Amino acid sequence: MTCLDFRRLLLTGEPESALMRAHRQQCPACEAHAVEHALFERELGLGLSVPVPLGFEERLLDRLTVQGAPAQALPNPGRRRMLVVAATTVVTAGLGGMMWYRRDDPLAMDCIQFVMKEEAKSIMMGAMPRAEAVKALAEVVPLQRIEQIGQILHIGPCPFNGITAYHVVMSVMQEKITLLVMPGLMVSARKRAGHDGLHARVVPLRNGSVGMVGSNAGLLDNLAGVLRSQST
């Protein structure tokens, strides 16, 4: 089983098979991805756990009873109850989904804003020599590990949220990914945000964190798992 096979099966929601378990136990990256997937599912479940407004079911049931309609036109009680349950489920999912998607983390959102407003300016300021980049990133994520993930197109220092971060532009599987390596900026858990077709993840690493921005949310999640597994 390959890593891609494991992650595709994980997304189906089916119970973990022996083959999946064997792969996960031998692959630190997929082990980390499975943990993050479980946390994601838990957060999503909490987001959908929204109580339906008091009296909603009764009011909806009343709406289904059309006054003055012939008896044969009215749904039978069992059918009406099923319609109420279905409608209630839709409302609950809608409310929960709205609340969950509003949980955009401010730091992750700042990463997106950097890409939208500051990235071009940062690139125009010029890149730093590779030897300096190796030294600057060593305590957070070694440059060699980033190079194993994809092709580095640009790397250089940049001001970000009151600190000096390191701006990395990469090509990963023909997707453009931006990294903001933030030495000394510690976060307790992975952060996420989405805006205007871009997604961001902020991953806690050794002695700092890294923000990632791109248009492919699934790819960002995979990269987050890889970086976290390599930092432990």
Side-chain angles (χ1 to χ4, degrees):
M1 173 175 288
T2 66
C3 293
L4 185 59
D5 291 334
F6 175 87
R7 297 180 189 205
R8 283 175 174 168
L9 289 172
L10 189 65
L11 291 174
T12 66
E14 295 294 326
E16 185 180 62
S17 66
L19 192 59
M20 290 177 67
R21 186 179 306 109
H23 176 82
R24 174 175 56 80
Q25 291 173 345
Q26 296 176 3
C27 178
C30 285
E31 174 72 31
H33 183 76
V35 171
E36 290 184 356
H37 178 77
L39 291 174
F40 173 82
E41 291 293 328
R42 179 177 178 274
E43 290 176 3
L44 182 59
L46 291 174
L48 292 176
S49 299
V50 179
V52 176
L54 185 64
F56 173 79
E57 182 176 339
E58 290 75 14
R59 292 196 299 272
L60 185 59
L61 191 57
D62 290 340
R63 289 288 184 90
L64 292 175
T65 305
V66 183
Q67 293 183 355
Q72 63 269 25
L74 296 175
N76 62 56
R79 175 64 175 170
R80 287 190 298 165
R81 178 64 60 183
M82 183 176 68
L83 291 173
V84 168
V85 171
T88 301
T89 301
V90 170
V91 170
T92 301
L95 290 172
M98 288 174 63
M99 291 181 64
W100 186 80
Y101 277 113
R102 287 174 183 167
R103 295 179 182 176
D104 286 332
D105 177 79
L107 179 58
M109 188 61 74
D110 286 344
C111 292
I112 292 177
Q113 292 298 319
F114 174 88
V115 170
M116 296 177 67
K117 299 179 180 181
E118 303 294 333
E119 182 166 73
K121 185 190 304 182
S122 176
I123 293 173
M124 289 178 63
M125 294 298 292
M128 63 194 304
R130 188 179 186 282
E132 291 183 17
V134 169
K135 183 177 179 180
L137 274 60
E139 294 301 315
V140 182
V141 51
L143 182 60
Q144 294 87 341
R145 289 182 181 173
I146 297 178
E147 291 173 330
Q148 291 172 357
I149 294 173
Q151 179 187 5
I152 295 179
L153 307 176
H154 168 85
I155 181 167
C158 65
F160 179 74
N161 270 19
I163 66 170
T164 297
Y166 293 91
H167 174 209
V168 183
V169 180
M170 306 181 62
S171 175
V172 181
M173 298 176 63
Q174 299 183 342
E175 296 270 357
K176 182 248 185 188
I177 300 293
T178 294
L179 304 184
L180 286 166
V181 181
M182 299 172 278
L185 183 58
M186 310 300 294
V187 296
S188 59
R190 187 179 67 177
K191 313 294 184 182
R192 64 176 62 230
H195 178 68
D196 202 20
L198 291 176
H199 304 274
R201 304 290 184 265
V202 179
V203 184
L205 296 178
R206 179 185 59 187
N207 300 320
S209 56
V210 60
M212 302 182 296
V213 181
S215 59
N216 188 328
L219 179 58
L220 292 180
D221 287 330
N222 288 343
L223 295 179
V226 170
L227 287 177
R228 290 191 67 177
S229 67
Q230 290 179 339
S231 68
T232 56

